[in-house]
Amino acid sequence: MRRELRAEWTKLRTETGVGRLLPALVGLTAAAAAGVSASVTCGAAGCGHDTVKLALTGVQVGQAVVAVLAVLVVGGEYGTGMIRTTLTAMPRRGAVLAAKAAVLIGVTVPAGALAVLASLLAGRLILPGRGFTAGNGHPPLSLADGPTLRAAAGSVLYLALVALLSLGIALAVRDSAAAIGVVLGLLYVSAILPLMVADPDWQLALWRLSPSNAGMSIQATTNLASLPLSPWAGLGVLAAWAVAALAGGGVLLRVRDA
């Protein structure tokens, strides 16, 4: 396994574009968080906004960068034909998949943590000036607060699960452009699909099945009883999607020719 990890790490470091995607994940996530925080206001009488969720809205932008990064881990090799060399040199395909997933998580989690921390910092600095003050019932954002810490850690896990979901889909599709389209459609189209049906039961079912809607519930810190799924249960839905994608991609990697 050590050999596979070393090989995958070398390939990831030398993959064109990866060096720009990780800073982009941090920068775009934090910038989106700052933009959202600066666009809302809270009157003197208080308001019902969840300030933690507001500050972490940028994760919805950052997930697209994570998806592209994860697809490149596989799609680049299939595009150049390098996958044949990889599987010839390392014929244990399960070990290759595990190494790809481990290396991907190894870069996604630190970058995701920086993105989440930068987003919370932006919210802490901007939101008080928009009326979200302790006097209005909104104390400054702090990781010392249990729900805030859960939302922050859960957002990092959310990005890691998006990376694994994207990796599995890329293995199944074997084409970078197509895989990116499938992943982004799954994340963003499924999020708005419940709004396109009138039946409330179908709306609820589609919301609970959406990997992004369900997974993003981990960011909620207020009115938890009104959520269609609890925060950790929602993240569990995304985890199930990621496991299914990896399992399917892994099976196809084993049974198909390179």
Side-chain angles (χ1 to χ4, degrees):
M1 185 65 179
R2 186 176 302 174
R3 180 181 174 217
E4 286 85 359
L5 284 170
R6 188 183 304 115
E8 293 303 326
W9 171 241
T10 301
K11 284 186 286 186
L12 184 65
R13 284 192 301 111
T14 56
E15 179 69 44
T16 303
V18 170
R20 293 188 294 270
L21 286 173
L22 293 175
L25 168 59
V26 178
L28 289 175
T29 302
V36 170
S37 297
S39 68
V40 294
T41 57
C42 185
C47 53
H49 288 294
D50 185 336
T51 53
V52 176
K53 195 165 186 175
L54 283 175
L56 294 175
T57 304
V59 172
Q60 297 182 37
V61 177
Q63 67 180 352
V65 181
V66 170
V68 173
L69 171 64
V71 168
L72 286 179
V73 171
V74 175
E77 282 192 274
Y78 278 107
T80 61
M82 186 67 182
I83 189 67
R84 297 185 183 89
T85 304
T86 295
L87 297 179
T88 299
M90 296 177 293
R92 294 190 305 158
R93 299 191 176 195
V96 170
L97 173 57
K100 286 183 181 295
V103 169
L104 178 61
I105 292 301
V107 297
T108 300
V109 168
L114 284 176
V116 167
L117 290 175
S119 298
L120 289 175
L121 178 60
R124 181 182 175 92
L125 295 175
I126 295 171
L127 287 172
R130 306 299 296 172
F132 293 90
T133 62
N136 285 339
H138 297 284
L141 299 179
S142 171
L143 291 177
D145 175 59
T148 302
L149 179 60
R150 184 256 300 153
S155 293
V156 177
L157 289 174
Y158 176 92
L159 292 172
L161 289 170
V162 167
L164 295 177
L165 171 68
S166 305
L167 178 64
I169 290 175
L171 281 168
V173 175
R174 301 198 296 185
D175 177 82
S176 294
I180 290 171
V182 171
V183 174
L184 295 185
L186 188 58
L187 292 175
Y188 293 109
V189 176
S190 73
I192 63 173
L193 197 58
L195 304 176
M196 301 172 66
V197 297
D199 187 277
D201 293 332
W202 275 103
Q203 284 182 346
L204 181 61
L206 289 172
W207 195 99
R208 287 174 170 171
L209 288 173
S210 166
S212 53
N213 283 342
M216 283 290 179
S217 62
I218 194 66
Q219 295 180 346
T221 62
T222 62
N223 301 318
L224 299 186
S226 65
L227 292 175
L229 287 170
S230 67
W232 289 112
L235 197 64
V237 171
L238 176 58
W241 276 95
V243 169
L246 275 179
V251 168
L252 291 173
L253 179 65
R254 286 177 178 273
V255 301
R256 290 190 306 203
D257 292 334

